[in-house]
Amino acid sequence: MKPVIFGMSGLSLTPDEAAFFRDADPAGYILFARNIADIAQVRALTDSLRALHGRDDLLIMIDQEGGRVARMRPPVWPAFPPGSAFDALYEIAPASAIEAARTNAQAIATTLRECGITVDALPLLDVRQPGASDIMGDRTFGSDPMRVAALGRAVLDGLKRGGVTGIVKHMPGHGRALVDSHLELPHVDADEAALAIDLEPFRTLNWAPIGMTAHIVYAAWDNTLPASLSPTVLQNIIRDRIGFDGLLMSDDLDMKALSGSVPELAAGVVAAGCDLALNCWARMDEMIGIADALPDITPRARERLDAAMSYAATPTDDAPLDVLLAKRDSFLALA
């Protein structure tokens, strides 16, 4: 098995993709809007991936946050609110906001599980800071670390109830970035005391099954390399100071924050300490290069992968989707 998550080009596997994926044996896959038409089609696609590898617990992930980051959209699927909706409700009624976030996440998981998707890139634990890039903005749970952690915990719980594993992101914190890491490399010059605030939600939820890194340079820790490529940040900050021992994946390697070829970057993030590299864009030449550049997955990374995929293997609450949405909306109406 190769320590990488690959994307696919369309609504079904091409013959070339099927042959390549069978041989490369990646740790998992990520879906985007280009891979999604309706429930039956997505289910057929995810079933074909499981059949290809003979792994019922295959990692198949998606970015289904709600708000502007949603790959599955109306009219086939419900529209889900962004994180800021729960932040606003928390201001008025904290307990209601926590239950609304939990119920909303369970509703998301219900829609994903029906389609055979096992992992969602949610919750964001980034602590929003004044003047930062709007790339986080309304996606976050606000600027108070305790609130972010409380709502993040509720999301992880709700996803698990619905049979989906969550990913905490973007470690060790994206809330201070002044530019969008999709477009350029952010440099955060905050000192240790300020950065300790950003770490708090991740430390509180350091038991989370999966985490995703940030493509950001943190001058206080490593003034040269972004976190995803920095052994210092990955080990000293994420593994040691935060205490995170779950499955750690990079953010997408094709983001403009990083420089170098995608295969070189994949090898770089894994060598630095990420368990998995994330490659989203399904360009066959790049995927072949990544498979050639990467070693086999380490035994420890495989243990973390297996633990993450068993974390929410079976839904624990079969509440109907319409009931969950009505319950969530009754809470959100308070705000």
Side-chain angles (χ1 to χ4, degrees), residues 61-323:
M61 65 176 283
I62 195 168
D63 269 315
Q64 188 73 356
E65 296 177 9
R68 53 196 162 109
V69 180
R71 315 306 184 196
M72 298 162 60
R73 292 181 174 271
V76 178
W77 293 278
F80 292 96
S84 60
F86 305 100
D87 178 32
L89 179 56
Y90 196 102
E91 198 69 31
I92 301 166
S96 296
I98 289 170
E99 188 56 33
R102 180 181 293 114
T103 304
N104 182 70
Q106 185 178 341
I108 291 174
T110 299
T111 64
L112 300 186
R113 192 79 191 188
E114 181 180 29
C115 293
I117 298 168
T118 51
V119 175
D120 192 11
L122 191 68
L124 281 75
L125 300 186
D126 306 300
V127 180
R128 188 169 67 242
Q129 298 294 337
S133 167
D134 192 48
I135 188 58
M136 294 295 111
D138 67 352
R139 296 167 63 193
T140 73
F141 293 128
S143 57
D144 174 59
M146 183 183 74
R147 182 181 304 189
V148 171
L151 292 170
R153 183 192 301 269
V155 169
L156 287 171
D157 182 40
L159 290 172
K160 183 177 182 181
R161 288 185 184 187
V164 168
T165 300
I167 301 174
V168 295
K169 62 184 189 183
H170 304 80
M171 304 176 84
H174 209 302
R176 295 181 189 274
L178 301 181
V179 297
D180 180 356
S181 58
H182 293 87
L183 304 176
E184 56 184 299
L185 177 62
H187 287 256
V188 169
D189 295 324
D191 61 19
E192 285 273 4
L195 291 171
I197 296 170
D198 302 354
L199 298 185
E200 284 185 37
F202 294 105
R203 292 182 65 182
T204 300
L205 302 182
N206 64 7
W207 47 264
I210 309 178
M212 178 184 288
T213 65
H215 298 329
I216 296 175
V217 170
Y218 301 88
W221 298 324
D222 185 333
N223 197 34
T224 304
L225 295 171
S228 303
L229 288 162
S230 170
T232 299
V233 176
L234 296 179
Q235 183 62 50
N236 296 354
I237 305 304
I238 294 177
R239 293 299 191 193
D240 295 343
R241 190 176 304 182
I242 290 174
F244 178 75
D245 193 38
L247 183 72
L248 186 62
M249 68 174 65
S250 74
D251 205 342
D252 178 24
L253 298 176
D254 201 50
M255 291 164 62
K256 304 308 179 187
L258 304 181
S259 57
S261 74
V262 172
E264 290 171 342
L265 292 170
V269 298
V270 170
C274 290
D275 293 313
L276 303 179
L278 177 61
N279 173 242
C280 296
W281 294 104
R283 300 181 185 111
M284 184 58 72
D285 59 337
E286 290 180 346
M287 293 193 295
I288 291 171
I290 289 169
D292 289 341
L294 285 176
D296 289 340
I297 194 169
T298 66
R300 185 69 187 101
R302 181 60 191 264
E303 289 175 2
R304 290 173 175 144
L305 172 63
D306 291 345
M309 297 318 301
S310 66
Y311 173 80
T314 304
T316 60
D317 185 340
D318 60 357
L321 179 61
D322 59 345
V323 171

Side-chain angles (χ1 to χ4, degrees), residues 1-2 4 21-22 24-29 46-60 118 297 302 305-306 309:
M1 180 186 293
K2 293 292 184 178
V4 63
F21 292 148
R22 186 182 295 109
D25 192 22
Y29 298 91
T46 58
D47 283 348
S48 72
L49 292 170
R50 273 184 285 274
L52 189 67
H53 297 289
R55 287 154 47 195
D56 289 340
D57 63 347
L58 183 64
L59 190 162
I60 303 176
T118 51
I297 194 169
R302 181 60 191 264
L305 172 63
D306 291 345
M309 297 318 301

